[in-house]
Amino acid sequence: QEELKLLRAGLAAQASLMDKIRAELAVYPPLTVPSPRLPSQEGHYPATLLGHLSDLHIGCLFYSHRNGHYDMTVAEERIGRLGDKIVAIAEAQRASRPLKNLVLAWGGDVIDGRDIFDAHAWQSVPIEVQLNRGTQVVRDRLMARLAPHFEQIVNICVPGNHGRIGKKGALHRVKDNMDVVFYEWLADRCGGMRHVTWQQTRDYYIDFTLHGHRFLLAHGDAFKSWAGIPFYGATRYLQQLSSMLHVPIDALIVGHH
């Protein structure tokens, strides 16, 4: 009986507190935020969307009980999702500025290769499948998705270490590289998209200018990481190439690490 009285008193106290809170809230009117009037696109500085695509490793076979898995089916799904994200970002940016063009910086290791390490052949699909089905997937799920949304799409391409043929250093780093074959094959498959252009590098890096800013695109395997962090190596690499090219580089675009 005593516990029931205490319970009723507690409930009454809670009800009284709620009434006081409601009374206090009634004093303050609800906050009203008007819809902002965004500036028109006329006279605004034009923008170009820049996307970095690196280390897709199309053809890799990875299975783990803890970390999931990766194969051609997963790669295709993720590439399709990437196309949707790029379109969504472009549409969001167009709310405040003119954005007509897209630059895709391909950083290499687009395919997984076959003989980069011991037993690699058991952890990847045949190179013909990587090239044939891989280029078809990228064309259908990515390039065809992007093409209707941009007036011009410029693809700038460098190879990665997983595209090499044979042992490291045995053949020409750029010309004997399956990433380069992939890019050429993909460009051929996209031949019907007249506003989609391709720029192949003649070296393991390429520099380009966009709206007055100079970018350096490389795969990233030309310098090491220290304690798992590539910042120091990337800084030295950028300084060396900037000195060699005799031009200042505003941004370095790399993957690999």
Side-chain angles (χ1 to χ4, degrees), residues 201-257:
T201 182
R202 296 181 179 180
D203 214 321
Y204 55 89
Y205 65 88
I206 189 171
D207 65 293
F208 62 94
T209 302
L210 189 61
H211 294 297
H213 300 280
R214 186 173 292 273
F215 297 84
L216 181 69
L217 172 65
H219 178 57
D221 60 322
F223 56 87
K224 297 180 180 180
S225 296
W226 280 265
I229 301 175
F231 179 79
Y232 176 67
T235 302
R236 290 186 58 190
Y237 179 75
L238 182 60
Q239 292 173 346
Q240 292 169 358
L241 285 186
S242 180
S243 176
M244 184 177 69
L245 296 171
H246 302 290
V247 292
I249 303 296
D250 297 304
L252 175 65
I253 306 175
V254 296
H256 182 71
H257 296 274

Side-chain angles (χ1 to χ4, degrees), residues 97-247:
R97 69 191 73 191
L99 194 157
K100 298 181 179 180
N101 301 328
L102 168 68
V103 174
L104 292 178
W106 295 82
D109 280 9
V110 179
I111 63 171
D112 196 52
R114 288 288 276 172
D115 58 352
I116 306 303
F117 53 85
D118 293 339
H120 191 187
W122 298 98
Q123 299 178 32
S124 58
V125 300
I127 196 70
E128 184 275 333
V129 178
Q130 297 183 35
L131 293 172
N132 193 358
R133 185 180 172 192
T135 52
Q136 183 177 359
V137 166
V138 173
R139 183 199 62 183
D140 295 345
R141 299 299 302 273
L142 182 64
M143 305 310 299
R145 177 74 173 94
L146 299 176
H149 297 276
F150 299 92
E151 291 187 2
Q152 184 180 23
I153 300 177
V154 178
N155 297 273
I156 304 174
C157 311
V158 297
N161 62 301
H162 270 250
R164 76 167 189 257
I165 302 173
K167 298 299 181 181
K168 186 176 182 179
L171 297 172
H172 194 281
R173 182 171 184 175
V174 177
K175 294 181 179 178
D176 296 304
N177 192 292
M178 285 298 174
D179 274 333
V180 176
V181 177
F182 184 95
Y183 297 141
E184 294 287 358
W185 200 331
L186 180 59
D188 185 66
R189 285 188 181 273
C190 296
M193 307 175 193
R194 300 300 182 185
H195 61 301
V196 178
T197 60
W198 300 82
Q199 184 177 351
Q200 295 275 13
T201 182
R202 296 181 179 180
D203 214 321
Y204 55 89
Y205 65 88
I206 189 171
D207 65 293
F208 62 94
T209 302
L210 189 61
H211 294 297
H213 300 280
R214 186 173 292 273
F215 297 84
L216 181 69
L217 172 65
H219 178 57
D221 60 322
F223 56 87
K224 297 180 180 180
S225 296
W226 280 265
I229 301 175
F231 179 79
Y232 176 67
T235 302
R236 290 186 58 190
Y237 179 75
L238 182 60
Q239 292 173 346
Q240 292 169 358
L241 285 186
S242 180
S243 176
M244 184 177 69
L245 296 171
H246 302 290
V247 292

Side-chain angles (χ1 to χ4, degrees), residues 44-85:
H44 279 246
Y45 190 78
T48 299
L49 193 62
L50 173 61
H52 178 215
L53 281 69
S54 182
D55 298 273
L56 303 183
H57 289 278
I58 296 173
C60 173
L61 298 176
F62 175 80
Y63 299 95
S64 171
H65 294 293
R66 291 185 176 182
N67 300 316
H69 69 282
Y70 187 78
D71 54 21
M72 293 292 291
T73 301
V74 175
E76 181 175 356
E77 188 274 331
R78 292 183 180 180
I79 290 169
R81 197 190 316 163
L82 174 63
D84 294 339
K85 293 292 185 181

